[in-house]
Amino acid sequence: MARKALKLASWTSMALAASGIYFYSNKYLDPNDFGAVRVGRAVATTAVISYDYLTSLKSVPYGSEEYLQLRSKVHLRSARRLCELCCANRGTFIKVGQHLGALDYLLPEEYTSTLKIHDLFQSFDDTPLGTASLAQVHKAVLHDGRTVAVKVQHPKVRAQSSKDILLMEVLVLAVKQLFPEFEFMWLVDEAKKNLPLELDFLNEGRNAEKVSQMLRHFDFLKVPRIHWDLSTERVLLMEFVDGGQVNDRDYMERNKIDVNEISRHLGKMYSEMIFVNGFVHCDPHPGNVLVRKHPGTGKAEIVLLDHGLYQMLTEEFRLNYCHLWQSLIWTDMKRVKEYSQRLGAGDLYPLFACMLTARSWDSVNRGISQAPVTATEDLEIRNNAANYLPQISHLLNHVPRQMLLILKTNDLLRGIEAALGTRASASSFLNMSRCCIRALAEHKKKNTCSFFRRTQISFSEAFNLWQINLHELILRVKGLKLADRVLALICWLFPAPL
C-alpha cells in the first residue's frame, strides 16, 4: 500500500511537472517566468515526497493501527507539499491542482481535501502584489466573493537559511580575528533565533490574532483576519486590506488623512505594545504599515501587516525599560544612568541614551521633550555613529538580546516619523509616559495584597496621569498663536449677523 501511495504521489508530481514543461515549450507563458527553476521545484517536491513515504512507513507493520495513522500523516504532509508547489509555481500548476482535488475516487482524502484549496479561488492573480526576501503575496478571490491575500514562501528559503546562517557565522568570526574590537556575533545569534519563527507562517498567524486581541481597544487599528483552514507553515491566507504606505504623505493628502493623527496613533500603538504588554511587532517598515479610511466610518485606520517577527519582553526588562524612558522624558539623569546600567550599558550609558533617543547627549541633558531635533543635531548624530562604531558594537554585544529588536523597531518608527515630518513631538513623549505610568502601577498593584496599598497606587497613578494631561494642555495653549486667540475672542463678542 505504501508503494501504491508512493507511485500515486510521484505520478501526481510528475503530472504537474509535465504540465509545466508542456506549457513552457508551447510558449503559453512567459519563458522568463516558467523555466528550469519551476521544473526544479516540481522535481524536488517529488523527491521529498518519495523519500518521506519510503522512510516513514518502512519500520511500521503493514496494516496495523499505527501504520494507518502514520500513513495518513504522510499523505497530509505530501498533499501540503503539493499545495505549496502549486502556489509557488502558480498558473498551470494551480489549474492542475484544482483537477487533482476533484479526483475523490482516485486520491486519498488527505490529498483531495488539501488540493481543493485551489477550488476556493474564483481568480488568482499570478503577478505578486509584493515580493520580499522570504515570501511573495498574491491577490485572489474566493468563490464566495471575498478578496484574500495569499502569502507564499519562496521554495528554497527554508533549505538555504541554515547554510546562510552558517556562512554568516564563519564570516563574523573571521572579521573578529582581524578586528577584535568589532563584536557582531549578536547578529548571528539573533538570526538563528528569529529566522525559523519568520519561516513558520502558522506562527505569524498566531501573532496576528494575539496582537489584534491585545489592542482591540484601539478602534484605529486593523489586523487582517487569518483563514486558518487554508493556511500551512509556508502558505498563509488572510483578509485582503488595501491602503497606502504609512510614509506616503501624498496618499494621505489625496485621501484627506491627517498625518499628525496617524503619527499619534502609531506612537500609542507601539507604546502600548512595548511598555504595557511586552509583545512587540518588530518589523514596522512602511510596506508593513498601511493607512486608509475605514470604508464604513470614514475614520483613519492603521493596517498592520507581516506578523512574523515579534519580541516577547521579560517583565524585568519591560519594567526597567519603562523606568529608563520615564527618566529620559523627565530629565532625571541619575536614574537614566541607573536604569541604563541595569539594562547592560555599563559605563557607556551616555551612548546608550543617545542610541535610544536618537538625540545628542547635550539634548538628553537638556530634556528630549523640550525641543525637537534639528538638522544640525541630526548630522552630528550620524557623524558620531561612524566615530563610535567599536563602542556601539561592544554595547550591542552586552545589552539583553531583547533590546536589539527594540532598537531596530525604534529606528524604523523614527524613519516613518521623519518622512511624515512629525518626529519627536512632545505629544509622543507624553503618550509614552502615560503607558509607562500605567505599566509600573499595574506591576505594583499585582505585587501587593493590601487593599489600602492598591487604592493608594491607583490614586497615585490617576494623579500622575492628570499631571500629564495638564502638561499637554499647557503645551497646546502655548502652541496657539496670539492672533488666533484674539480673533476667536472678537468672533465671540461680535457674532456675524444672520
Side-chain angles (χ1 to χ4, degrees):
M1 184 63 186
R3 291 191 176 278
K4 286 182 181 179
L6 171 59
K7 287 181 181 178
L8 189 59
S10 299
W11 278 109
T12 302
S13 297
M14 287 173 67
L16 290 169
S19 301
I21 294 168
Y22 174 79
F23 275 81
Y24 173 72
S25 63
N26 283 274
K27 304 188 183 299
Y28 285 178
L29 294 177
D30 183 355
N32 294 321
D33 188 48
F34 204 62
V37 172
R38 295 164 64 79
V39 174
R41 289 174 189 162
V43 172
T45 301
T46 304
V48 171
I49 290 173
S50 302
Y51 181 79
D52 196 2
Y53 275 108
L54 286 171
T55 55
S56 298
L57 301 175
K58 187 176 180 181
S59 58
V60 183
Y62 175 75
S64 65
E65 185 67 26
E66 183 184 1
Y67 177 90
L68 295 176
Q69 290 177 359
L70 187 57
R71 185 184 64 183
S72 178
K73 290 179 182 178
V74 176
H75 282 338
L76 187 58
R77 284 200 300 268
S78 302
R80 284 176 174 170
R81 286 174 180 132
L82 286 176
C83 182
E84 288 164 2
L85 172 65
C86 293
C87 289
N89 276 8
R90 310 187 307 277
T92 314
F93 282 75
I94 288 179
K95 288 293 183 184
V96 175
Q98 289 175 342
H99 293 313
L100 293 172
L103 300 178
D104 299 280
Y105 59 90
L106 180 61
L107 294 178
E109 191 273 336
E110 291 86 352
Y111 279 88
T112 56
S113 62
T114 302
L115 292 170
K116 275 179 181 174
I117 286 174
H118 302 289
D119 284 336
L120 296 174
F121 295 136
Q122 179 180 310
S123 65
F124 188 98
D125 191 348
D126 287 349
T127 304
L129 292 170
T131 301
S133 56
L134 302 182
Q136 58 193 40
V137 179
H138 297 263
K139 186 177 180 181
V141 179
L142 303 178
H143 280 292
D144 60 11
R146 288 177 297 168
T147 305
V148 294
V150 185
K151 183 174 180 178
V152 184
Q153 192 174 116
H154 298 315
K156 295 186 178 181
V157 167
R158 192 180 292 261
Q160 193 64 39
S161 61
S162 57
K163 299 173 187 175
D164 290 343
I165 290 174
L166 179 61
L167 176 61
M168 191 190 307
E169 187 168 9
V170 171
L171 292 174
V172 167
L173 288 172
V175 169
K176 185 168 174 59
Q177 292 299 317
L178 295 171
F179 307 99
E181 68 274 18
F182 290 98
E183 302 177 34
F184 285 99
M185 189 52 67
W186 57 267
L187 185 63
V188 178
D189 294 338
E190 285 300 293
K192 282 181 179 178
K193 182 185 76 173
N194 294 322
L195 194 54
L197 296 175
E198 289 189 81
L199 289 171
D200 181 359
F201 288 174
L202 295 179
N203 177 65
E204 178 176 342
R206 289 189 291 269
N207 287 343
E209 288 198 341
K210 181 173 180 178
V211 79
S212 179
Q213 177 67 15
M214 189 176 81
L215 302 180
R216 63 189 181 279
H217 54 287
F218 288 149
D219 59 358
F220 59 79
L221 175 63
K222 172 67 177 176
V223 178
R225 187 169 57 85
I226 305 298
H227 294 274
W228 286 110
D229 53 332
L230 307 177
S231 298
T232 71
E233 286 187 355
R234 292 179 58 186
V235 178
L236 186 66
L237 260 76
M238 68 203 93
E239 174 187 5
F240 178 82
V241 184
D242 205 359
Q245 291 193 357
V246 72
N247 63 344
D248 189 344
R249 286 184 66 102
D250 291 339
Y251 174 88
M252 295 191 207
E253 288 171 7
R254 286 196 308 272
N255 290 275
K256 295 181 173 56
I257 296 173
D258 186 348
V259 170
N260 292 302
E261 182 185 17
I262 290 296
S263 185
R264 285 195 301 271
H265 286 343
L266 198 61
K268 284 180 184 178
M269 189 171 78
Y270 268 89
S271 292
E272 192 87 9
M273 283 193 227
I274 293 170
F275 300 115
V276 179
N277 295 288
F279 184 67
V280 190
H281 181 287
C282 288
D283 200 12
H285 70 73
N288 289 339
V289 186
L290 307 182
V291 293
R292 68 167 189 171
K293 279 200 168 181
H294 189 280
T297 64
K299 291 183 178 179
E301 266 190 338
I302 292 176
V303 182
L304 194 60
L305 306 175
D306 197 344
H307 300 270
L309 185 59
Y310 272 74
Q311 179 66 69
M312 280 288 296
L313 307 181
T314 64
E315 186 169 70
E316 180 184 9
F317 176 94
R318 182 173 60 85
L319 296 173
N320 283 332
Y321 195 62
C322 281
H323 280 298
L324 176 56
W325 266 106
Q326 282 286 76
S327 307
L328 287 165
I329 291 167
W330 302 107
T331 325
D332 185 342
M333 301 311 296
K334 182 178 178 182
R335 286 165 69 86
V336 166
K337 178 179 179 180
E338 176 188 348
Y339 286 103
S340 293
Q341 291 181 336
R342 286 195 188 187
L343 289 167
D347 292 336
L348 292 174
Y349 73 90
L351 177 62
F352 184 56
C354 294
M355 287 169 63
L356 273 181
T357 59
R359 302 295 299 269
S360 67
W361 182 237
D362 285 341
S363 293
V364 172
N365 276 283
R366 286 197 303 267
I368 55 175
S369 61
Q370 298 305 309
V373 64
T374 63
T376 304
E377 183 183 358
D378 197 44
L379 182 62
E380 177 192 343
I381 292 166
R382 292 176 188 278
N383 291 336
N384 283 342
N387 296 333
Y388 286 97
L389 192 57
Q391 290 89 340
I392 292 172
S393 171
H394 176 81
L395 189 57
L396 293 176
N397 208 44
H398 286 82
V399 295
R401 290 291 174 260
Q402 301 161 80
M403 181 60 72
L404 301 176
L405 283 178
I406 294 295
L407 288 169
K408 172 199 168 185
T409 303
N410 287 348
D411 284 344
L412 288 170
L413 291 172
R414 284 193 195 100
I416 293 171
E417 289 176 344
L420 297 179
T422 59
R423 184 176 168 192
S425 66
S427 178
S428 66
F429 288 128
L430 293 175
N431 281 328
M432 291 172 67
S433 189
R434 284 188 183 96
C435 285
C436 291
I437 288 169
R438 285 169 48 215
L440 294 170
E442 185 61 32
H443 173 71
K444 289 176 184 175
K445 284 187 279 189
K446 191 171 70 174
N447 286 276
T448 183
C449 297
S450 166
F451 174 77
F452 175 76
R453 177 60 182 148
R454 288 172 65 87
T455 305
Q456 189 181 31
I457 294 167
S458 295
F459 273 117
S460 176
E461 176 188 5
F463 179 71
N464 289 332
L465 292 173
W466 176 81
Q467 281 185 308
I468 290 176
N469 292 338
L470 180 61
H471 184 67
E472 187 172 38
L473 178 63
I474 292 169
L475 288 176
R476 286 182 180 177
V477 170
K478 283 182 178 179
L480 293 174
K481 293 180 181 177
L482 181 61
D484 290 340
R485 281 181 281 173
V486 171
L487 181 62
L489 180 61
I490 292 172
C491 291
W492 180 71
L493 291 173
F494 305 101
L498 295 174

